[in-house]
């Protein structure tokens, strides 16, 4: 990495009037905001489907895109919906929070109408659709099968289905999906919609010199296509049920640890295939993103496994991960990759050694640096260049929330003194300035901290269910002051995107105004959002 910066803002948090952020106009506007402030990166959370608890880290599939993110207005432009199909729906009453329960009920009918029209109209998109299915069949067919059968059993997890379908039988499932072809096709077509919209948005970002940082959860959910179809990948019993599940030991977040419940991998079995399942997964993620944050990196060195059904995570123990062998095979198969190691949690020398051997940058969280009196490796003067600095992540309090609700007076005083915080400067802005000034090659700011929001805007509180993943910004929170402040950080601490600076200099010397037509190599929002429909 070169010295740079970016913003962590999940797609769901973007502002619009349909209840949840999407891959539509609001996403392109956000890219434009990053361009104006000379950022290099947009970091998102996992884009996969969400299940119980609405967490993007608990998905029905390690691959399938979250259909809540499909922009409905783009489907109008493409001729698959009418504006009245959208206007008639109440997607939520609070523009600052996502009502997932309501979205689950109201979006399905709208998307079913779009799928029906897509199948009826035909045209050029049909050939692209068939190509998409062929290219992605290895994960798309199992996902569509899983969801088709799952919906036939009132959306219950596979462990609660009738025995005939509880254990995967290819022929039986294929017959079932043929008998319920409308439901099966719905999942295929909506994944095509998602893929088209995401790839257009990514191309727009890349054309404007913004790179996307994605996020890959280390584990899959119990309630997932992978667990249903490939139980041999995990530690399971003769019936395919997990014998061990994932979590974390007791820590500052929870006195009993975190009981995630995800099945843990049978790493020796995976090693026999040269980690083929993981290689395909990572390869697909680099089709989606330019850089990839691997969640819970420490799990590749050692991981906390808990006997399935234990009362809490404190009953678990440490188990050995695949270590350096996994990353050696990955490099042999895929080459050098732009990966960020989420090395937070119980980090020992072995984890640090594994991170350093891979060469991946680790993460530094400024909030962890203050105890009111002593030095800490989480303070910026200790950050190595090969690292990514955050004030806090999606799992932490906002900077303002930490300062006002959690930090002691000693910790507040230490933070203010450490940063030479001037009178009137918000604590959140001072802490952002601290990581911007650090030696870390990359500084990433959460949108909540840039907006100086309290804990009501917190994205996730670990070890809790309910009330998470809901925060949304509103369009009026974009302001000239916000843009100027972020641009000033980029310029003051030498984190400006060099490609954007070069482009700006070229425009100045060529007397090209900002109103001039885009170059042949650049693309506009309209190029990506509105498709030609002459075939229809």
């Amino acid at each position: 990495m070169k010295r740079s910066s970016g913003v962590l803002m999940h797609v769901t948090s973007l502002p619009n009037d349909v209840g949840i952020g999407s891959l539509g106009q609001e996403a392109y506007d956000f890219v434009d905001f990053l361009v104006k402030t000379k950022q290099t990166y947009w970091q998102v959370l996992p884009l996969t489907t969400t299940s119980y608890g609405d967490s993007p880290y608990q998905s029905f599939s390690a691959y399938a895109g979250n259909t809540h993110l499909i922009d409905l207005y783009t489907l109008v432009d493409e001729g698959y919906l009418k504006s009245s199909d959208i206007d008639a729906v109440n997607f939520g009453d609070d523009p600052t929070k996502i009502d997932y329960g309501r979205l689950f009920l109201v979006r399905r009918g709208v998307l079913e109408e779009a799928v029906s029209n897509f199948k009826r109209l035909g045209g050029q998109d049909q050939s692209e659709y068939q190509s998409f299915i062929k290219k992605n069949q290895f994960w798309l067919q199992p996902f569509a099968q899983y969801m088709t059968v799952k919906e036939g059993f009132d959306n219950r997890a596979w462990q609660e289905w009738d025995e005939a379908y509880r254990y995967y039988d290819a022929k039986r499932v294929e017959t079932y999906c043929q008998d319920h072809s409308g439901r099966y096709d719905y999942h295929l077509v909506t994944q095509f919609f998602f893929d088209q919209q995401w790839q257009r948005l990514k191309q727009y970002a890349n054309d404007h010199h913004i790179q996307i940082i994605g996020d890959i959860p280390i584990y899959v959910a119990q309630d997932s296509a992978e667990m249903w179809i490939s139980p041999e990948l995990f530690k399971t019993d003769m019936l395919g049920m997990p014998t061990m599940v994932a979590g974390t030991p007791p820590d500052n977040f929870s006195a009993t640890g975190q009981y995630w419940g995800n099945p843990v991998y049978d790493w020796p079995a995976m090693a026999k295939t040269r980690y083929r399942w993981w290689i395909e997964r990572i390869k697909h993620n680099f089709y989606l993103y330019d850089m990839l944050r691997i969640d819970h990196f420490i799990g590749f060195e050692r991981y906390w496994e808990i006997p399935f059904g234990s009362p809490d995570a404190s009953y678990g123990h440490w188990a050995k991960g695949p270590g350096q062998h996994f990353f050696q095979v990955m490099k042999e198969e895929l080459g050098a990759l732009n990966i960020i190691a989420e090395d937070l949690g119980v980090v020992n020398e072995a984890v640090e050694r594994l991170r350093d051997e891979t060469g991946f940058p680790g993460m530094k969280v400024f909030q962890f640096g203050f105890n009111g009196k002593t030095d800490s490796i989480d303070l910026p003067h200790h950050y190595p260049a090969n690292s990514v600095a955050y004030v806090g992540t999606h799992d932490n309090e906002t900077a303002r929330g930490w300062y006002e609700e959690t930090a002691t007076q000693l910790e507040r005083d230490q933070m203010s003194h450490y940063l030479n915080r001037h009178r009137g400067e918000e604590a959140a802005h001072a802490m952002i300035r601290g990581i911007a000034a650090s030696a870390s090659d990359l500084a990433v700011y959460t949108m909540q901290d840039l907006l100086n929001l309290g804990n009501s805007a917190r994205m996730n509180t670990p070890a809790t269910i309910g009330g998470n993943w809901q925060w949304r910004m509103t369009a009026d929170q974009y302001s000239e002051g916000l843009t100027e402040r972020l641009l000033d950080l980029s310029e003051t601490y030498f984190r400006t995107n060099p490609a954007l600076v070069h482009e700006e200099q070229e425009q100045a010397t060529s007397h090209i105004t900002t109103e001039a037509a885009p170059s042949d190599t650049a693309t506009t929002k309209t190029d990506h959002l509105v498709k030609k429909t002459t075939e229809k």
Side-chain angles (χ1 to χ4, degrees), residues 391-436:
V391 172
T393 74
H394 62 276
D395 281 334
N396 300 121
E397 295 177 275
T398 66
R400 180 174 178 176
W402 171 82
Y403 183 81
E404 294 181 348
E405 299 180 23
T406 301
T408 65
Q409 189 59 52
L410 283 175
E411 290 168 342
R412 295 174 192 168
D413 292 344
Q414 184 189 19
M415 184 274 285
S416 297
H417 185 67
Y418 181 86
L419 294 170
N420 193 26
R421 181 180 167 208
H422 61 73
R423 183 182 298 274
E425 184 180 24
E426 299 288 354
H429 297 162
M431 294 180 77
I432 289 172
R433 177 168 55 81
I435 65 168

Side-chain angles (χ1 to χ4, degrees), residues 211-487:
Q211 297 184 57
I212 309 290
I213 301 176
D215 194 316
I216 183 170
I218 187 173
Y219 295 118
V220 301
Q222 277 193 56
D223 186 6
S224 68
E226 288 78 19
M227 184 64 177
W228 179 52
I229 290 175
S230 305
E232 70 277 3
L233 298 174
F234 309 94
K235 291 186 178 180
T236 57
D237 60 22
M238 295 295 290
L239 298 177
M241 295 295 291
T243 57
M244 291 288 177
V245 294
T248 62
D251 57 17
N252 292 334
F253 283 121
S254 173
T256 57
Q258 298 177 42
Y259 186 101
W260 296 344
N262 306 75
V264 297
Y265 300 111
D266 185 338
W267 285 114
M270 284 192 159
K272 291 178 182 178
T273 68
R274 284 180 59 83
Y275 309 105
R276 178 51 47 192
W277 182 86
W278 263 100
I279 296 298
E280 292 298 331
R281 187 185 183 197
I282 290 174
K283 183 178 179 181
H284 180 77
N285 272 266
F286 275 100
Y287 163 72
L288 297 174
Y289 313 116
D290 302 297
M291 182 178 284
L292 187 61
R293 171 191 179 270
I294 296 184
D295 181 58
H296 200 59
F297 177 82
I298 66 174
F300 290 96
E301 202 288 320
R302 63 173 187 165
Y303 58 93
W304 190 255
E305 65 176 15
I306 309 155
F308 180 60
S310 296
D312 58 59
S314 66
Y315 289 79
H317 58 266
W318 289 109
K320 187 67 176 174
Q324 181 62 18
H325 181 248
F326 173 85
F327 294 103
Q328 287 174 345
V329 172
M330 184 172 68
K331 187 173 183 179
E332 290 168 6
E333 294 284 338
L334 301 176
L337 298 173
N338 292 327
I339 286 176
I340 297 170
E342 190 267 291
D343 55 343
L344 307 177
V346 184
V347 178
N348 58 14
E349 290 184 6
V351 173
E352 293 176 346
R353 183 165 56 251
L354 177 61
R355 180 201 62 212
D356 294 343
E357 287 173 348
T358 64
F360 302 152
M363 291 173 53
K364 297 295 182 182
V365 177
F366 197 12
Q367 275 188 38
F368 298 161
F370 299 103
N371 59 23
K373 50 185 177 181
T374 59
D375 196 2
S376 167
I377 61 171
D378 293 305
L379 292 176
H381 63 274
H382 289 297
Y383 294 178
N386 190 37
S387 66
V388 185
Y390 299 80
V391 172
T393 74
H394 62 276
D395 281 334
N396 300 121
E397 295 177 275
T398 66
R400 180 174 178 176
W402 171 82
Y403 183 81
E404 294 181 348
E405 299 180 23
T406 301
T408 65
Q409 189 59 52
L410 283 175
E411 290 168 342
R412 295 174 192 168
D413 292 344
Q414 184 189 19
M415 184 274 285
S416 297
H417 185 67
Y418 181 86
L419 294 170
N420 193 26
R421 181 180 167 208
H422 61 73
R423 183 182 298 274
E425 184 180 24
E426 299 288 354
H429 297 162
M431 294 180 77
I432 289 172
R433 177 168 55 81
I435 65 168
S438 74
S440 295
D441 285 335
L442 175 56
V444 176
Y445 323 114
T446 67
M447 197 64 183
Q448 293 96 317
D449 287 346
L450 290 170
L451 294 172
N452 189 35
L453 300 178
N455 277 339
S456 62
R458 182 174 182 169
M459 200 63 172
N460 180 50
T461 302
T464 65
I465 296 178
N468 295 316
W469 318 108
Q470 295 180 345
W471 175 75
R472 300 186 70 202
M473 74 174 290
T474 55
D476 60 1
Q477 288 178 308
Y478 285 118
S479 67
E480 186 175 338
L482 171 66
T483 301
E484 291 177 350
R485 186 167 60 250
L486 185 52
L487 177 60

Side-chain angles (χ1 to χ4, degrees), residues 8 12 15-16 20 84 101 105 112 163 184 195 212 226 334 345 349 391 396 405 430 452 465 477 491:
L8 170 56
T12 59
N16 63 23
I20 190 169
S84 57
L105 294 175
E112 284 178 343
E163 189 172 352
Y184 180 73
D195 183 77
I212 309 290
E226 288 78 19
L334 301 176
E349 290 184 6
V391 172
N396 300 121
E405 299 180 23
N452 189 35
I465 296 178
Q477 288 178 308
E491 294 177 339

